[in-house]
């Protein structure tokens, strides 16, 4: 895609997930056995393979994080080592981390972003803001129409984070929220009090800044990369307009008209 050989979206790849053996990211033998050195080795392997970011698997899914708020999978010394190794390679660290205890541990280690809405208290949300950490909510796939106490509290945590000024970066957990339905996340964000303009900024300006790409992406100006869509309708009045793209430009080339 980057070379222009095939058509596709801009991708920042994480390589293999970095988590403990038997943990939340244990897919097809990807879990890591051993000490901090084994985690450092996995990160170096990812970097050598061309990874743009590093993804750590710190805690489990909402039901577990709700029932055991302080539980997380990667020991503190390993978390610190993993973030250190990533920083040595100049890579942003994102954590799958939903329990409040896991978020607090990740912040202490220096994690910069959180994939999925985590459970938060006010102090932890303020710490996120103070450290300029960001959340990729994926709330449409994570909670959806579920009205269980675990989901209601998760939505409440996202509303709290937004109210306290934590940076939100648009994301959908693509594949869980079926590809092509990505724009439904805009409506999910609106339900927790994110305005249409704030939601659009989460998908453009905030995302570009969070991933260190604001010099070429995130707004329209001379010299920028020209990743642009046009939709049918005004999304500031009707967010479903973002589900109706009529024009797509990638890297300055028209993909769909």
């Amino acid at each position: 895609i980057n070379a222009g050989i095939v058509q596709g979206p801009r991708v920042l790849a994480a390589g293999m997930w970095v988590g403990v053996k038997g943990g939340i990211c244990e897919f097809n033998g990807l879990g890591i056995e051993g000490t901090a050195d084994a985690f450092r080795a996995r990160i170096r392997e990812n970097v050598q393979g061309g990874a743009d970011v590093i993804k750590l698997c710190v805690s489990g899914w909402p039901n577990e994080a709700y029932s055991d708020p302080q539980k997380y999978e990667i020991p503190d010394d390993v978390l610190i080592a993993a973030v250190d190794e990533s920083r040595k390679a100049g890579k942003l660290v994102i954590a799958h981390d939903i329990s409040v205890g896991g978020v607090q541990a990740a912040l202490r280690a220096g994690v910069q972003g959180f994939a999925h809405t985590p459970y938060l208290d006010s102090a932890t949300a303020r710490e996120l803001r103070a450290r300029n950490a960001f959340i990729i909510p994926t709330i449409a796939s994570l909670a959806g129409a579920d009205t269980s106490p675990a989901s209601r509290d998760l939505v409440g945590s996202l509303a709290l984070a937004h109210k306290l000024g934590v940076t939100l970066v648009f994301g959908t957990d693509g594949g869980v929220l079926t590809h092509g339905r990505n724009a439904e996340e805009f409506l999910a964000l609106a339900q927790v009090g994110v305005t249409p303009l704030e939601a659009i900024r989460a998908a453009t300006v905030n995302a570009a800044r969070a991933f260190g790409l604001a010099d070429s992406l995130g707004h329209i100006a001379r010299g920028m990369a020209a990743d642009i869509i046009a939709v049918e309708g005004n999304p500031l009045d009707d967010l479903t307009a973002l589900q109706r793209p009529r024009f797509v430009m990638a890297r300055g080339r028209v993909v769909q008209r």
Side-chain angles (χ1 to χ4, degrees), residues 180 183-184 186-187 229-235 237-248 256:
E184 292 177 18
F186 286 107
L187 298 177
I229 66 167
V231 300
E232 180 185 325
N234 183 352
D237 297 328
D238 176 13
L239 279 170
T240 66
L242 292 167
Q243 299 177 32
R244 300 187 295 274
R246 294 294 180 258
F247 173 88
V248 179
Q256 174 183 319

Side-chain angles (χ1 to χ4, degrees), residues 110-206:
V111 168
Q112 296 142 292
F114 294 84
H116 312 304
T117 298
Y119 290 105
L120 298 170
D121 53 32
S122 295
T124 307
R126 290 191 175 95
E127 185 69 12
L128 279 162
R129 179 181 177 181
R131 291 177 179 266
N132 293 317
F134 59 89
I135 293 174
I136 305 170
T138 71
I139 199 68
S141 65
L142 206 60
D146 184 12
T147 58
S148 69
S151 287
R152 289 200 303 270
D153 276 16
L154 200 63
V155 170
S157 286
L158 179 56
L160 175 67
H162 176 58
K163 178 182 177 181
L164 294 179
V166 178
T167 297
L168 303 184
V169 172
F170 189 89
T172 65
D173 207 6
V176 177
L177 182 66
T178 307
H179 294 297
R181 293 174 52 192
N182 311 56
E184 292 177 18
E185 176 73 7
F186 286 107
L187 298 177
L189 292 175
Q191 291 173 358
V192 299
V194 179
T195 69
L197 183 56
E198 288 169 335
I200 291 169
R201 284 176 173 161
T204 53
V205 179
N206 292 3

